[in-house]
Amino acid sequence: MEPRETTMEIPQQADTRLDRSHSAGTAIEQLRQSLQGELVLPTDAGYDQARRVWNGAIDKRPAAIIFCANPDDVVQAVTYARSQGCLVAVRSGGHNVAGLSVCDDGLVIDLSRMKKIAIDPERRIAKAEAGLNLGEFDAATQAYGLATTMGVNGDTGIAGLTLGGGFGKLGRKHGLSCDNLIAAEIVTADGRLLRTSAGEHPDLFWALRGGGGNFGIVTAFEYRLHPLGPDLLVGSVLHAWDQAQEAMRFYDKFSRDAPDEVSVDAALVTLPSGERTFSISACYAGPPETGEAVVAPLMKFGSPIDSRLQAIPYVQIQSAGDSLFPRGRRYYWKAQFLRGISDGAIEALLDAYAKAPNRSSLLVFQQVGGAIARVPASASPYANRDAALDCFPIAIWDDPADDAANIGWARELWNAVRPFSTGGVYANNLGDEGDERVRDAYGANYARLAAIKKQYDPTNFFRLNQNIRPG
């Protein structure tokens, strides 16, 4: 069962279903011969593995998958898809929870094998191809003692992360991933390969910094880097369920008062024993010895059942949560922004989390603010600069028979917290939730995005995304 909420009615030309038989001599066989990369068809041995994405709840069967080796392959794939009038999905990391990076009976253009990265340590710039995941990117930049904001799961692709905004532990100090983007190379719907920056196709460059995959296929990103590490201070505490209410109040205040160097996230979690708990984790993006006094209140509050304070390599911090989100399990979530955690929200959260269907279920708070909030809302498509926390239930399970229970729980928890939200949402945490929810991600920036979409993709060729209609 695919976790789906609504079907978006998007103006577009009718899609042609590609013939899965693809006999020799067809246009797609000619395409296969011209590519530097690999074309995988349903008759090929590796097809079932090639069509899989991170979320095991997604089970789609594309007519063809192109693993691009370079930008020219991407151009050829786009040109072929336009000539055939077929649906296109674009995949790099494949982490979209709704499975928008794969499709039935269409073409998947996959960039996951494009992994070149070049670091200029003197100018503090990285040029990275779109197939890199953040673990690979972080390892390459940390070799020079540098980093920029990336997400919190090493398996996430840098492309989707950056195009939707890009939260991470460095965001409060250095801004979102998209705030650190200084140039990008993109294949547009008409098959052009363009370089974009503040001085080259500036409207398109503006749209790429948070507007998602609506405007083309980005093949490479250039990022501003910052000195960091190699070790950062991490303090974490675990509070028992009967202390969770007070611990959540403390978390709300501590996160409000924290300096930009601190990223402090939290979660309602269930231990292997079945005991429900509240976890808080702070990371200090500066010299570890400087951070000890800043993190001290977290370590001293209450009577935690577990606490740890240690300096850890940044690359290890970045992959610390990977074991919680392996490829192939079934996932569903719904997210919304908060400006704080009121007593009413705490009561609603605790009541709803107590009904979690299994021990893998989480309720996550991801802190934003800091440098993110000091960027004008109109400076990039990412509009929800005034939010303090991203709040979302994450349902994780394995048996398709449990789909309804897990999806239903996540939706119920989201609805319980809805009265306390800002109304906004982070584009990268959207599922398939409809046009109005996409508008909630972009606010007043939506009209400008729609105009740029009309300029670069008037037929909505790139529409398997958090879609912005040409306008």
Side-chain angles (χ1 to χ4, degrees), residues 198-461:
E200 305 161 284
H201 304 284
D203 278 352
L204 179 57
F205 181 63
W206 178 86
L208 295 181
R209 292 182 296 127
N214 280 281
F215 308 97
I217 303 176
V218 176
T219 58
F221 301 83
E222 290 184 32
Y223 297 96
R224 182 182 304 107
L225 302 176
H226 310 275
L228 187 80
D231 295 342
L232 302 184
L233 186 71
V234 174
S236 59
V237 293
L238 190 65
H239 292 276
W241 186 249
D242 61 3
Q243 302 296 312
Q245 187 176 62
E246 288 303 314
M248 290 176 78
R249 290 194 183 105
F250 166 79
Y251 169 71
D252 181 52
K253 184 178 187 308
F254 181 80
S255 61
R256 288 173 185 268
D257 296 340
D260 291 357
E261 289 79 7
V262 173
S263 172
V264 55
D265 300 330
L268 292 170
V269 301
T270 304
L271 303 181
S273 64
E275 179 184 2
R276 303 194 193 279
T277 62
F278 182 62
S279 170
I280 308 174
S281 178
C283 176
Y284 185 81
E289 60 275 12
T290 307
E292 290 186 12
V294 179
V295 178
L298 171 67
M299 310 309 298
K300 294 177 180 178
F301 176 79
S303 303
I305 57 179
D306 187 45
S307 63
R308 301 179 186 184
L309 181 65
Q310 55 188 324
I312 301 175
Y314 174 68
V315 291
Q316 183 178 330
I317 295 168
Q318 285 291 86
S319 63
D322 289 5
S323 61
L324 293 174
F325 307 107
R327 284 182 176 263
R329 299 198 75 185
R330 303 175 82 82
Y331 297 93
Y332 180 87
W333 62 64
K334 289 193 71 172
Q336 54 198 323
F337 284 122
L338 307 177
R339 292 193 182 91
I341 313 173
S342 66
D343 285 349
I346 291 173
E347 183 177 346
L349 286 164
L350 292 176
D351 180 65
Y353 186 74
K355 304 170 186 175
N358 63 61
R359 294 175 184 177
S360 297
S361 305
L362 304 169
L363 183 283
V364 172
F365 294 104
Q366 191 167 7
Q367 188 190 20
V368 282
I372 298 168
R374 290 192 290 275
V375 175
S378 61
S380 75
Y382 181 89
N384 291 281
R385 300 279 180 176
D386 61 344
L389 301 164
D390 193 19
C391 174
F392 53 108
I394 303 178
I396 309 172
W397 70 105
D398 297 300
D399 190 341
D402 297 331
D403 284 1
N406 283 274
I407 294 171
W409 168 77
R411 291 177 178 172
E412 180 182 347
L413 197 157
W414 183 89
N415 283 325
V417 182
R418 183 67 171 160
F420 309 100
S421 78
T422 68
V425 63
Y426 175 37
N428 280 348
N429 275 340
L430 277 171
D432 193 353
E433 299 175 39
D435 181 67
E436 286 305 313
R437 201 65 180 134
V438 175
R439 289 174 180 267
D440 289 341
Y442 297 116
N445 292 327
Y446 188 91
R448 183 179 176 187
L449 286 166
I452 298 170
K453 176 76 169 180
K454 184 176 182 179
Q455 179 182 356
Y456 286 94
D457 186 13
T459 66
N460 211 4
F461 178 76

Side-chain angles (χ1 to χ4, degrees), residues 110-254:
D110 186 292
L111 280 70
S112 65
R113 297 180 185 177
M114 294 174 57
K115 293 184 179 291
K116 293 178 183 176
I117 182 169
I119 313 293
D120 185 333
E122 294 186 359
R123 297 173 60 216
R124 295 177 182 169
I125 291 174
K127 181 174 181 181
E129 287 192 326
L132 286 161
N133 64 39
L134 73 88
E136 294 163 337
F137 180 92
D138 288 336
T141 58
Q142 275 290 278
Y144 296 92
L146 299 169
T148 200
T149 306
M150 285 292 162
V152 296
N153 185 320
D155 196 31
T156 303
I158 66 168
L161 178 82
T162 302
L163 293 173
F167 290 177
K169 296 187 182 300
L170 305 184
R172 287 173 44 78
K173 186 173 183 181
H174 297 301
L176 301 166
S177 302
C178 70
D179 296 333
N180 289 279
L181 187 66
I182 56 178
E185 295 175 3
I186 182 172
V187 176
T188 54
D190 57 3
R192 289 181 294 163
L193 177 62
L194 304 177
R195 176 182 164 83
T196 67
S197 67
E200 305 161 284
H201 304 284
D203 278 352
L204 179 57
F205 181 63
W206 178 86
L208 295 181
R209 292 182 296 127
N214 280 281
F215 308 97
I217 303 176
V218 176
T219 58
F221 301 83
E222 290 184 32
Y223 297 96
R224 182 182 304 107
L225 302 176
H226 310 275
L228 187 80
D231 295 342
L232 302 184
L233 186 71
V234 174
S236 59
V237 293
L238 190 65
H239 292 276
W241 186 249
D242 61 3
Q243 302 296 312
Q245 187 176 62
E246 288 303 314
M248 290 176 78
R249 290 194 183 105
F250 166 79
Y251 169 71
D252 181 52
K253 184 178 187 308
F254 181 80

